[in-house]
Amino acid sequence: MRVLITGGAGYIGSSVAWMFIDRGHEVTIIDNLKTGKKRNIPVKSKFINCDISNLNMLKKSLKENYDVVLHFAALINNQESIKKKKEYLDNNYKKSKIFLKFCNENGIKNFIFSSSAAVYGSSNKSVHEKSKTNPLAPYGKSKLKFEKYLEKFKSEINYVILRYFNVVGVEKKMRCGFEIKKNKSLFNNLCSSALNKKNFKIFGNDFNTKDGTAVRDFIYISDLSEVHYSFAKILTKKSINSVFNCGYGKGYSVKNIIFKFNHYLNKKIKVVYNERRKNDIGYSVADNKKLKKYHDFKNIKSKLSLMINSSYRWYKKINT
Ligand SMILES: NC(=O)c1ccc[n+]([C@@H]2O[C@H](COP(=O)([O-])OP(=O)(O)OC[C@H]3O[C@@H](n4cnc5c(N)ncnc54)[C@H](O)[C@@H]3O)[C@@H](O)[C@H]2O)c1
């Protein structure tokens, strides 16, 4: 396959790019390096340092036909999006629209879009693809707006919309991974606390969950990359326009995860409690029955140690 990946210098896009390269496919990456890193980009890919909305550059650089486009490029910080609402809507929605129109005009037939569980907002039970959407912050709103725009192309473009839950861990060969500076994710903050013996701040212990801390569904990066790989193959063979939740369907609270970090890394992370952050979601767990018809995850039980250990090894590698 010949694939075009936007955001391929970022955490998830690069992991997916490496998977395609490892399996002998041709990969072209578009990234403006706003948050992505050159070190993540596979050497065997073709890299175009460009914004997804820069049509002149895209026209000049993209000569081939691509079997599938995988669109990861986005700004992804939920909290930051509250302060930078316009920037998030412009980048994630308006620029994605420009890019999709360009793809359509240039004969792209298969498209995979990285959406997010943030489109659902808060719920106290697991959500399925038809559950009500109610994004709380501009980040989730920008994702939902683009989903709706993409749906207008269903007679011309085959697409899948993948709503990721919390993506964590690093691929086995440690060739690419998450950015550690400015990264406010739970796993990144826990790695930092574990390594630097810093207090770990729990934001909110009064959510409507068993232990009062927020609950999330974590999915290992390599499993998520496999999901992309199998959908890319499916799209080239059959007509499909659909949305899929990407999570394991199992929730862990922040306190559970801290306990597991201490256990697997043999640490004693000190915890302090802070107030909830604005628009933080208390409970976010996938109903993944629909995805499981296409893709079954193996050995989920063993994944938590892999997700924690690989994150910590990567954090140490990048930090030192
Ligand atoms: N990380 C998660 O847990 C998670 C969860 C749900 C959804 N997602 C979605 O997955 C996708 C990838 O996320 P990630 O964690 O790899 O983020 P990331 O920040 O590591 O990667 C995003 C990449 O897109 C690039 N980019 C951003 N705007 C661009 C533009 N206008 N033109 C060209 N390049 C641009 C950045 O430079 C970066 O390399 C995003 O669409 C995000 O919304 C991620």
Side-chain angles (χ1 to χ4, degrees):
M1 270 182 282
R2 189 176 273 163
V3 298
L4 179 62
I5 295 182
T6 74
Y11 169 45
I12 305 172
S14 61
S15 180
V16 173
W18 274 106
M19 185 169 276
F20 276 94
I21 297 269
D22 288 344
R23 295 173 184 183
H25 302 283
E26 270 179 56
V27 173
T28 299
I29 287 174
I30 302 170
D31 201 299
N32 62 5
L33 299 179
K34 168 105 180 159
T35 56
K37 289 281 172 269
K38 263 196 170 159
R39 65 164 176 256
N40 281 335
I41 298 172
V43 265
K44 283 191 186 160
S45 63
K46 177 178 170 190
F47 173 52
I48 302 164
N49 185 345
C50 166
D51 195 283
I52 52 164
S53 63
N54 184 343
L55 295 182
N56 284 338
M57 181 94 164
L58 293 182
K59 277 179 202 150
K60 250 196 279 165
S61 321
L62 301 176
K63 299 268 185 283
E64 296 112 308
N65 284 325
Y66 298 93
D67 297 303
V68 186
V69 171
L70 297 105
H71 179 37
F72 296 93
L75 295 172
I76 68 154
N77 185 326
N78 200 52
Q79 288 300 316
E80 185 185 64
S81 79
I82 299 168
K83 289 181 210 126
K84 298 183 176 174
K85 183 176 170 188
K86 185 174 178 318
E87 194 183 339
Y88 270 70
L89 282 174
D90 283 352
N91 194 70
N92 296 356
Y93 172 56
K94 291 192 179 152
K95 287 184 175 184
S96 291
K97 264 172 81 175
I98 294 171
F99 178 69
L100 180 64
K101 269 184 83 185
F102 169 84
C103 288
N104 190 38
E105 283 159 15
N106 286 278
I108 298 297
K109 289 286 164 244
N110 301 309
F111 197 90
I112 299 180
F113 173 54
S114 306
S115 189
S116 166
V119 300
Y120 294 113
S122 216
S123 169
N124 47 15
K125 52 181 196 293
S126 39
V127 280
H128 56 79
E129 290 79 358
K130 290 205 171 117
S131 297
K132 196 171 154 274
T133 50
N134 182 24
L136 303 184
Y139 166 66
K141 287 182 185 158
S142 70
K143 290 281 162 185
L144 187 60
K145 273 169 96 71
F146 185 69
E147 282 192 9
K148 293 204 186 319
Y149 183 73
L150 176 56
E151 281 162 9
K152 292 184 185 157
F153 287 75
K154 67 170 177 247
S155 57
E156 291 148 281
I157 296 182
N158 245 341
Y159 64 77
V160 289
I161 293 169
L162 301 179
R163 290 179 179 161
Y164 314 156
F165 281 66
N166 285 65
V167 189
V168 292
V170 171
E171 57 116 32
K172 284 202 181 86
K173 293 189 182 161
M174 297 260 147
R175 296 169 295 188
C176 58
F178 52 87
E179 175 46 11
I180 68 170
K181 286 184 195 140
K182 293 190 190 160
N183 180 340
K184 300 271 187 279
S185 75
L186 173 65
F187 270 52
N188 193 66
N189 289 347
L190 280 170
C191 288
S192 164
S193 293
L195 185 69
N196 306 316
K197 299 194 170 76
K198 272 188 344 200
N199 286 348
F200 176 80
K201 287 181 192 160
I202 296 185
F203 290 97
N205 60 352
D206 56 352
F207 287 105
N208 187 16
T209 58
K210 264 190 194 153
D211 65 19
T213 63
V215 169
R216 294 287 179 273
D217 186 339
F218 298 94
I219 176 167
Y220 180 48
I221 181 86
S222 300
D223 278 341
L224 186 71
S225 302
E226 280 293 353
V227 170
H228 288 79
Y229 187 76
S230 54
F231 274 122
K233 283 199 298 191
I234 291 168
L235 281 170
T236 58
K237 287 185 197 124
K238 89 180 214 196
S239 228
I240 168 170
N241 298 112
S242 208
V243 185
F244 295 92
N245 281 344
C246 296
Y248 292 147
K250 176 156 179 48
Y252 288 95
S253 73
V254 172
K255 274 189 179 169
N256 289 155
I257 294 293
I258 296 170
F259 177 82
K260 297 284 184 189
F261 258 75
N262 285 335
H263 175 70
Y264 291 126
L265 304 177
N266 196 20
K267 301 276 179 189
K268 275 193 180 147
I269 296 170
K270 275 200 190 137
V271 164
V272 290
Y273 290 95
N274 274 32
E275 291 206 342
R276 285 185 198 193
R277 290 170 302 194
K278 202 178 166 198
N279 290 341
D280 251 359
I281 294 168
Y283 187 89
S284 175
V285 177
D287 175 329
N288 62 5
K289 282 189 208 77
K290 191 174 169 195
L291 179 66
K292 278 169 130 181
K293 287 185 194 148
Y294 288 84
H295 189 95
D296 211 1
F297 298 114
K298 293 188 186 80
N299 307 324
I300 291 176
K301 277 198 181 141
S302 67
K303 290 285 161 57
L304 204 55
S305 97
L306 187 60
M307 296 192 279
I308 291 173
N309 281 308
S310 65
S311 299
Y312 191 60
R313 274 172 57 212
W314 175 259
Y315 189 95
K316 279 204 298 193
K317 178 177 162 174
I318 298 302
N319 196 45
T320 47

Short mmCIF file of all heavy atoms in Angstrom, two decimals, residues 6-14 30-37 40 50-53 71-76 91-92 95 113-118 139 143 162-168 177-179, ligand 1:
data_model
loop_
_atom_site.label_atom_id
_atom_site.label_comp_id
_atom_site.label_asym_id
_atom_site.label_seq_id
_atom_site.Cartn_x
_atom_site.Cartn_y
_atom_site.Cartn_z
N THR A 6 -0.82 12.29 7.94
CA THR A 6 -0.61 13.64 8.48
C THR A 6 -0.31 13.49 9.98
O THR A 6 -0.84 12.58 10.63
CB THR A 6 -1.84 14.54 8.30
OG1 THR A 6 -2.85 14.14 9.24
CG2 THR A 6 -2.40 14.50 6.89
N GLY A 7 0.54 14.36 10.51
CA GLY A 7 0.88 14.26 11.94
C GLY A 7 1.79 13.08 12.23
O GLY A 7 1.82 12.58 13.36
N GLY A 8 2.55 12.66 11.24
CA GLY A 8 3.41 11.47 11.39
C GLY A 8 4.67 11.71 12.20
O GLY A 8 5.44 10.77 12.43
N ALA A 9 4.90 12.98 12.65
CA ALA A 9 6.03 13.22 13.55
C ALA A 9 5.54 13.20 15.00
O ALA A 9 6.32 13.34 15.93
CB ALA A 9 6.67 14.57 13.24
N GLY A 10 4.24 13.02 15.17
CA GLY A 10 3.66 12.99 16.52
C GLY A 10 3.67 11.58 17.09
O GLY A 10 4.14 10.63 16.46
N TYR A 11 3.14 11.48 18.27
CA TYR A 11 3.17 10.23 19.05
C TYR A 11 2.49 9.06 18.31
O TYR A 11 3.11 8.02 18.03
CB TYR A 11 2.50 10.52 20.39
CG TYR A 11 2.18 9.35 21.27
CD1 TYR A 11 3.10 8.32 21.48
CD2 TYR A 11 0.94 9.29 21.92
CE1 TYR A 11 2.78 7.26 22.31
CE2 TYR A 11 0.63 8.23 22.76
CZ TYR A 11 1.55 7.21 22.94
OH TYR A 11 1.24 6.16 23.76
N ILE A 12 1.22 9.22 17.97
CA ILE A 12 0.49 8.07 17.40
C ILE A 12 0.80 7.91 15.91
O ILE A 12 1.05 6.79 15.44
CB ILE A 12 -1.04 8.23 17.63
CG1 ILE A 12 -1.32 8.44 19.13
CG2 ILE A 12 -1.79 7.00 17.12
CD1 ILE A 12 -2.76 8.80 19.46
N GLY A 13 0.82 9.03 15.18
CA GLY A 13 1.09 8.96 13.73
C GLY A 13 2.42 8.28 13.43
O GLY A 13 2.53 7.49 12.49
N SER A 14 3.43 8.55 14.24
CA SER A 14 4.76 7.96 13.97
C SER A 14 4.75 6.46 14.26
O SER A 14 5.36 5.67 13.53
CB SER A 14 5.86 8.66 14.77
OG SER A 14 5.61 8.54 16.16
N ILE A 30 3.17 14.12 6.26
CA ILE A 30 3.06 15.59 6.27
C ILE A 30 2.98 16.01 7.74
O ILE A 30 2.11 15.53 8.48
CB ILE A 30 1.74 16.07 5.61
CG1 ILE A 30 1.63 15.57 4.19
CG2 ILE A 30 1.63 17.58 5.66
CD1 ILE A 30 0.23 15.82 3.60
N ASP A 31 3.86 16.92 8.14
CA ASP A 31 3.80 17.42 9.52
C ASP A 31 4.44 18.80 9.54
O ASP A 31 5.46 19.01 8.88
CB ASP A 31 4.54 16.46 10.47
CG ASP A 31 4.11 16.63 11.92
OD1 ASP A 31 4.30 17.74 12.48
OD2 ASP A 31 3.61 15.67 12.51
N ASN A 32 3.85 19.73 10.31
CA ASN A 32 4.46 21.07 10.39
C ASN A 32 5.38 21.18 11.61
O ASN A 32 5.87 22.27 11.91
CB ASN A 32 3.39 22.17 10.42
CG ASN A 32 2.48 22.06 11.64
OD1 ASN A 32 2.69 21.23 12.52
ND2 ASN A 32 1.46 22.91 11.70
N LEU A 33 5.57 20.09 12.32
CA LEU A 33 6.45 20.01 13.50
C LEU A 33 6.06 20.98 14.61
O LEU A 33 6.90 21.40 15.41
CB LEU A 33 7.93 20.19 13.10
CG LEU A 33 8.47 19.14 12.11
CD1 LEU A 33 9.94 19.43 11.77
CD2 LEU A 33 8.35 17.72 12.66
N LYS A 34 4.80 21.36 14.63
CA LYS A 34 4.32 22.27 15.68
C LYS A 34 4.49 21.61 17.06
O LYS A 34 4.97 22.23 17.99
CB LYS A 34 2.86 22.61 15.39
CG LYS A 34 2.14 23.30 16.50
CD LYS A 34 1.92 24.76 16.23
CE LYS A 34 1.17 25.39 17.40
NZ LYS A 34 1.30 26.78 17.50
N THR A 35 4.07 20.38 17.17
CA THR A 35 4.30 19.65 18.42
C THR A 35 5.08 18.35 18.17
O THR A 35 5.58 17.75 19.10
CB THR A 35 2.98 19.28 19.14
OG1 THR A 35 2.16 18.54 18.22
CG2 THR A 35 2.22 20.49 19.61
N GLY A 36 5.15 17.94 16.92
CA GLY A 36 5.83 16.69 16.58
C GLY A 36 7.35 16.84 16.59
O GLY A 36 7.87 17.94 16.63
N LYS A 37 8.02 15.71 16.53
CA LYS A 37 9.49 15.71 16.59
C LYS A 37 10.07 14.93 15.41
O LYS A 37 9.58 13.84 15.09
CB LYS A 37 9.96 15.02 17.88
CG LYS A 37 9.68 15.82 19.13
CD LYS A 37 10.71 16.92 19.33
CE LYS A 37 10.37 17.85 20.46
NZ LYS A 37 9.60 19.04 20.17
N ASN A 40 10.98 11.16 15.63
CA ASN A 40 9.95 10.11 15.54
C ASN A 40 9.76 9.57 14.12
O ASN A 40 9.20 8.50 13.93
CB ASN A 40 8.58 10.66 15.98
CG ASN A 40 8.44 10.74 17.49
OD1 ASN A 40 9.09 10.01 18.22
ND2 ASN A 40 7.58 11.64 17.95
N CYS A 50 5.32 20.52 6.32
CA CYS A 50 4.29 21.37 5.72
C CYS A 50 3.03 21.35 6.57
O CYS A 50 2.74 20.36 7.24
CB CYS A 50 4.06 20.78 4.34
SG CYS A 50 2.64 21.30 3.43
N ASP A 51 2.28 22.44 6.53
CA ASP A 51 0.99 22.48 7.21
C ASP A 51 -0.05 21.78 6.32
O ASP A 51 0.03 21.86 5.09
CB ASP A 51 0.60 23.96 7.40
CG ASP A 51 -0.52 24.12 8.39
OD1 ASP A 51 -1.68 23.85 8.02
OD2 ASP A 51 -0.23 24.47 9.55
N ILE A 52 -1.01 21.13 6.95
CA ILE A 52 -2.03 20.42 6.15
C ILE A 52 -2.89 21.37 5.31
O ILE A 52 -3.58 20.92 4.40
CB ILE A 52 -2.97 19.54 7.02
CG1 ILE A 52 -3.58 20.35 8.17
CG2 ILE A 52 -2.27 18.29 7.52
CD1 ILE A 52 -4.78 19.71 8.83
N SER A 53 -2.84 22.67 5.63
CA SER A 53 -3.67 23.61 4.86
C SER A 53 -2.86 24.35 3.79
O SER A 53 -3.39 25.22 3.11
CB SER A 53 -4.31 24.63 5.81
OG SER A 53 -3.29 25.38 6.43
N HIS A 71 -5.33 10.59 8.85
CA HIS A 71 -5.25 12.00 9.29
C HIS A 71 -5.16 12.11 10.82
O HIS A 71 -6.16 12.06 11.52
CB HIS A 71 -6.47 12.74 8.75
CG HIS A 71 -6.51 14.18 9.15
ND1 HIS A 71 -5.39 14.97 9.22
CD2 HIS A 71 -7.56 14.98 9.50
CE1 HIS A 71 -5.73 16.19 9.61
NE2 HIS A 71 -7.04 16.22 9.79
N PHE A 72 -3.91 12.27 11.30
CA PHE A 72 -3.65 12.40 12.74
C PHE A 72 -3.41 13.85 13.16
O PHE A 72 -3.54 14.18 14.35
CB PHE A 72 -2.37 11.63 13.13
CG PHE A 72 -2.44 10.15 12.93
CD1 PHE A 72 -2.01 9.57 11.77
CD2 PHE A 72 -2.95 9.33 13.93
CE1 PHE A 72 -2.07 8.20 11.58
CE2 PHE A 72 -3.02 7.96 13.76
CZ PHE A 72 -2.58 7.39 12.57
N ALA A 73 -2.96 14.71 12.20
CA ALA A 73 -2.49 16.04 12.58
C ALA A 73 -3.55 16.81 13.36
O ALA A 73 -4.68 16.95 12.91
CB ALA A 73 -2.10 16.83 11.33
N ALA A 74 -3.18 17.29 14.53
CA ALA A 74 -4.11 18.07 15.35
C ALA A 74 -3.37 18.65 16.55
O ALA A 74 -2.27 18.19 16.89
CB ALA A 74 -5.25 17.18 15.86
N LEU A 75 -4.00 19.64 17.18
CA LEU A 75 -3.55 20.07 18.51
C LEU A 75 -4.40 19.26 19.48
O LEU A 75 -5.62 19.11 19.27
CB LEU A 75 -3.79 21.57 18.69
CG LEU A 75 -2.97 22.45 17.75
CD1 LEU A 75 -3.41 23.91 17.85
CD2 LEU A 75 -1.47 22.34 18.07
N ILE A 76 -3.80 18.76 20.58
CA ILE A 76 -4.50 17.71 21.31
C ILE A 76 -4.72 17.95 22.81
O ILE A 76 -5.18 17.08 23.52
CB ILE A 76 -3.78 16.36 21.14
CG1 ILE A 76 -2.42 16.35 21.83
CG2 ILE A 76 -3.62 15.98 19.68
CD1 ILE A 76 -1.98 14.96 22.23
N ASN A 91 -7.18 25.03 13.65
CA ASN A 91 -6.24 23.97 13.28
C ASN A 91 -6.94 22.62 13.05
O ASN A 91 -6.72 21.96 12.04
CB ASN A 91 -5.18 23.81 14.37
CG ASN A 91 -4.00 22.98 13.89
OD1 ASN A 91 -3.22 23.42 13.05
ND2 ASN A 91 -3.90 21.77 14.38
N ASN A 92 -7.78 22.25 14.00
CA ASN A 92 -8.32 20.88 13.95
C ASN A 92 -9.54 20.75 13.04
O ASN A 92 -9.79 19.68 12.51
CB ASN A 92 -8.71 20.40 15.36
CG ASN A 92 -7.51 20.29 16.27
OD1 ASN A 92 -6.38 20.49 15.84
ND2 ASN A 92 -7.74 19.96 17.52
N LYS A 95 -8.63 23.71 9.13
CA LYS A 95 -7.52 23.23 8.29
C LYS A 95 -7.78 21.79 7.82
O LYS A 95 -7.41 21.43 6.71
CB LYS A 95 -6.19 23.31 9.05
CG LYS A 95 -5.69 24.74 9.19
CD LYS A 95 -4.34 24.79 9.85
CE LYS A 95 -3.81 26.21 9.87
NZ LYS A 95 -2.45 26.27 10.44
N PHE A 113 -9.73 8.86 10.05
CA PHE A 113 -9.63 10.07 10.87
C PHE A 113 -9.48 9.74 12.35
O PHE A 113 -10.24 8.96 12.90
CB PHE A 113 -10.89 10.94 10.65
CG PHE A 113 -10.95 12.12 11.57
CD1 PHE A 113 -9.89 13.02 11.66
CD2 PHE A 113 -12.07 12.35 12.37
CE1 PHE A 113 -9.94 14.11 12.54
CE2 PHE A 113 -12.13 13.43 13.24
CZ PHE A 113 -11.06 14.31 13.32
N SER A 114 -8.49 10.39 12.98
CA SER A 114 -8.26 10.24 14.42
C SER A 114 -9.20 11.15 15.18
O SER A 114 -8.94 12.34 15.30
CB SER A 114 -6.85 10.70 14.79
OG SER A 114 -5.89 10.04 14.03
N SER A 115 -10.28 10.58 15.68
CA SER A 115 -11.14 11.37 16.54
C SER A 115 -10.86 10.99 17.99
O SER A 115 -9.84 10.35 18.28
CB SER A 115 -12.60 11.18 16.16
OG SER A 115 -13.39 12.11 16.87
N SER A 116 -11.75 11.38 18.86
CA SER A 116 -11.44 11.22 20.28
C SER A 116 -12.68 10.91 21.11
O SER A 116 -13.79 11.35 20.76
CB SER A 116 -10.82 12.54 20.78
OG SER A 116 -10.79 12.56 22.18
N ALA A 117 -12.47 10.23 22.22
CA ALA A 117 -13.56 9.99 23.18
C ALA A 117 -14.07 11.31 23.74
O ALA A 117 -15.18 11.35 24.30
CB ALA A 117 -13.04 9.12 24.32
N ALA A 118 -13.28 12.38 23.57
CA ALA A 118 -13.70 13.70 24.07
C ALA A 118 -15.00 14.16 23.42
O ALA A 118 -15.67 15.05 23.94
CB ALA A 118 -12.60 14.73 23.83
N TYR A 139 -11.43 21.35 22.23
CA TYR A 139 -10.72 20.24 21.57
C TYR A 139 -11.73 19.20 21.05
O TYR A 139 -11.73 18.86 19.86
CB TYR A 139 -9.73 19.60 22.55
CG TYR A 139 -9.20 18.27 22.06
CD1 TYR A 139 -8.39 18.19 20.94
CD2 TYR A 139 -9.53 17.07 22.73
CE1 TYR A 139 -7.92 16.96 20.48
CE2 TYR A 139 -9.07 15.86 22.28
CZ TYR A 139 -8.27 15.80 21.15
OH TYR A 139 -7.82 14.58 20.69
N LYS A 143 -13.09 18.14 17.08
CA LYS A 143 -13.07 16.77 16.53
C LYS A 143 -14.46 16.40 16.01
O LYS A 143 -14.60 15.82 14.94
CB LYS A 143 -12.63 15.78 17.62
CG LYS A 143 -11.17 15.91 18.00
CD LYS A 143 -10.32 15.22 16.97
CE LYS A 143 -8.88 15.61 16.99
NZ LYS A 143 -8.09 15.04 15.93
N LEU A 162 -12.08 6.95 13.93
CA LEU A 162 -11.67 6.17 15.11
C LEU A 162 -11.66 7.10 16.32
O LEU A 162 -10.90 8.08 16.37
CB LEU A 162 -10.27 5.56 14.88
CG LEU A 162 -10.17 4.63 13.67
CD1 LEU A 162 -8.74 4.10 13.52
CD2 LEU A 162 -11.16 3.47 13.76
N ARG A 163 -12.54 6.80 17.26
CA ARG A 163 -12.59 7.61 18.49
C ARG A 163 -11.71 6.94 19.52
O ARG A 163 -12.12 5.96 20.17
CB ARG A 163 -14.03 7.71 18.99
CG ARG A 163 -14.89 8.58 18.09
CD ARG A 163 -16.31 8.64 18.58
NE ARG A 163 -17.14 9.49 17.74
CZ ARG A 163 -18.46 9.45 17.71
NH1 ARG A 163 -19.13 8.62 18.49
NH2 ARG A 163 -19.14 10.26 16.89
N TYR A 164 -10.48 7.47 19.67
CA TYR A 164 -9.54 6.87 20.62
C TYR A 164 -9.93 7.26 22.04
O TYR A 164 -10.27 8.41 22.30
CB TYR A 164 -8.11 7.37 20.44
CG TYR A 164 -7.53 7.43 19.07
CD1 TYR A 164 -6.47 8.30 18.81
CD2 TYR A 164 -7.98 6.63 18.03
CE1 TYR A 164 -5.89 8.38 17.57
CE2 TYR A 164 -7.41 6.70 16.78
CZ TYR A 164 -6.37 7.59 16.54
OH TYR A 164 -5.79 7.69 15.32
N PHE A 165 -9.73 6.31 22.95
CA PHE A 165 -9.81 6.64 24.37
C PHE A 165 -8.38 7.03 24.78
O PHE A 165 -7.73 7.74 24.01
CB PHE A 165 -10.49 5.49 25.12
CG PHE A 165 -11.99 5.58 24.91
CD1 PHE A 165 -12.54 5.38 23.64
CD2 PHE A 165 -12.85 5.97 25.92
CE1 PHE A 165 -13.89 5.55 23.39
CE2 PHE A 165 -14.21 6.14 25.68
CZ PHE A 165 -14.73 5.94 24.42
N ASN A 166 -7.85 6.64 25.92
CA ASN A 166 -6.53 7.18 26.28
C ASN A 166 -5.40 6.29 25.76
O ASN A 166 -5.29 5.15 26.19
CB ASN A 166 -6.42 7.33 27.79
CG ASN A 166 -7.20 8.54 28.24
OD1 ASN A 166 -8.41 8.57 28.11
ND2 ASN A 166 -6.50 9.54 28.72
N VAL A 167 -4.62 6.85 24.86
CA VAL A 167 -3.57 6.06 24.21
C VAL A 167 -2.29 6.19 25.03
O VAL A 167 -1.85 7.32 25.33
CB VAL A 167 -3.34 6.58 22.78
CG1 VAL A 167 -2.42 5.62 22.02
CG2 VAL A 167 -4.67 6.76 22.04
N VAL A 168 -1.70 5.06 25.40
CA VAL A 168 -0.49 5.12 26.25
C VAL A 168 0.53 4.07 25.83
O VAL A 168 0.23 3.17 25.06
CB VAL A 168 -0.83 4.93 27.76
CG1 VAL A 168 -1.62 6.10 28.30
CG2 VAL A 168 -1.58 3.65 28.00
N GLY A 177 7.90 7.94 20.20
CA GLY A 177 7.05 7.95 21.39
C GLY A 177 6.50 9.33 21.65
O GLY A 177 6.60 10.23 20.81
N PHE A 178 5.96 9.48 22.85
CA PHE A 178 5.30 10.74 23.19
C PHE A 178 6.32 11.82 23.57
O PHE A 178 7.43 11.52 23.99
CB PHE A 178 4.29 10.54 24.32
CG PHE A 178 4.85 9.84 25.54
CD1 PHE A 178 5.46 10.55 26.56
CD2 PHE A 178 4.76 8.44 25.66
CE1 PHE A 178 5.97 9.91 27.68
CE2 PHE A 178 5.26 7.79 26.78
CZ PHE A 178 5.87 8.52 27.79
N GLU A 179 5.88 13.07 23.42
CA GLU A 179 6.70 14.21 23.80
C GLU A 179 6.59 14.35 25.32
O GLU A 179 5.50 14.15 25.87
CB GLU A 179 6.14 15.43 23.05
CG GLU A 179 6.73 16.77 23.34
CD GLU A 179 8.25 16.79 23.38
OE1 GLU A 179 8.91 15.82 22.98
OE2 GLU A 179 8.77 17.78 23.85
N1 LIG B 1 -2.87 10.81 22.47
C1 LIG B 1 -4.10 10.41 22.79
O1 LIG B 1 -4.33 9.76 23.83
C2 LIG B 1 -5.25 10.74 21.85
C3 LIG B 1 -6.56 10.43 22.29
C4 LIG B 1 -7.61 10.71 21.44
C5 LIG B 1 -7.39 11.22 20.16
N2 LIG B 1 -6.11 11.52 19.78
C6 LIG B 1 -5.92 12.08 18.43
O2 LIG B 1 -4.87 11.37 17.79
C7 LIG B 1 -4.16 12.23 16.89
C8 LIG B 1 -2.68 12.13 17.16
O3 LIG B 1 -2.44 12.50 18.52
P1 LIG B 1 -0.98 12.44 19.15
O4 LIG B 1 -1.14 12.04 20.58
O5 LIG B 1 -0.07 11.67 18.28
O6 LIG B 1 -0.59 13.99 19.11
P2 LIG B 1 0.82 14.67 18.77
O7 LIG B 1 0.72 16.09 19.23
O8 LIG B 1 1.93 13.85 19.28
O9 LIG B 1 0.82 14.62 17.18
C9 LIG B 1 0.11 15.52 16.37
C10 LIG B 1 1.01 15.87 15.19
O10 LIG B 1 0.30 16.70 14.28
C11 LIG B 1 1.17 17.75 13.85
N3 LIG B 1 0.29 18.86 13.42
C12 LIG B 1 -0.61 19.52 14.19
N4 LIG B 1 -1.26 20.43 13.45
C13 LIG B 1 -0.76 20.33 12.18
C14 LIG B 1 -1.05 21.01 10.95
N5 LIG B 1 -1.94 22.00 10.89
N6 LIG B 1 -0.34 20.66 9.84
C15 LIG B 1 0.60 19.67 9.91
N7 LIG B 1 0.90 19.01 11.03
C16 LIG B 1 0.23 19.33 12.16
C17 LIG B 1 2.05 18.04 15.05
O11 LIG B 1 3.26 18.68 14.71
C18 LIG B 1 2.27 16.64 15.60
O12 LIG B 1 3.40 16.02 15.04
C19 LIG B 1 -4.75 13.62 17.10
O13 LIG B 1 -5.66 13.88 16.06
C20 LIG B 1 -5.47 13.53 18.44
O14 LIG B 1 -6.56 14.39 18.50
C21 LIG B 1 -5.04 11.30 20.61
#
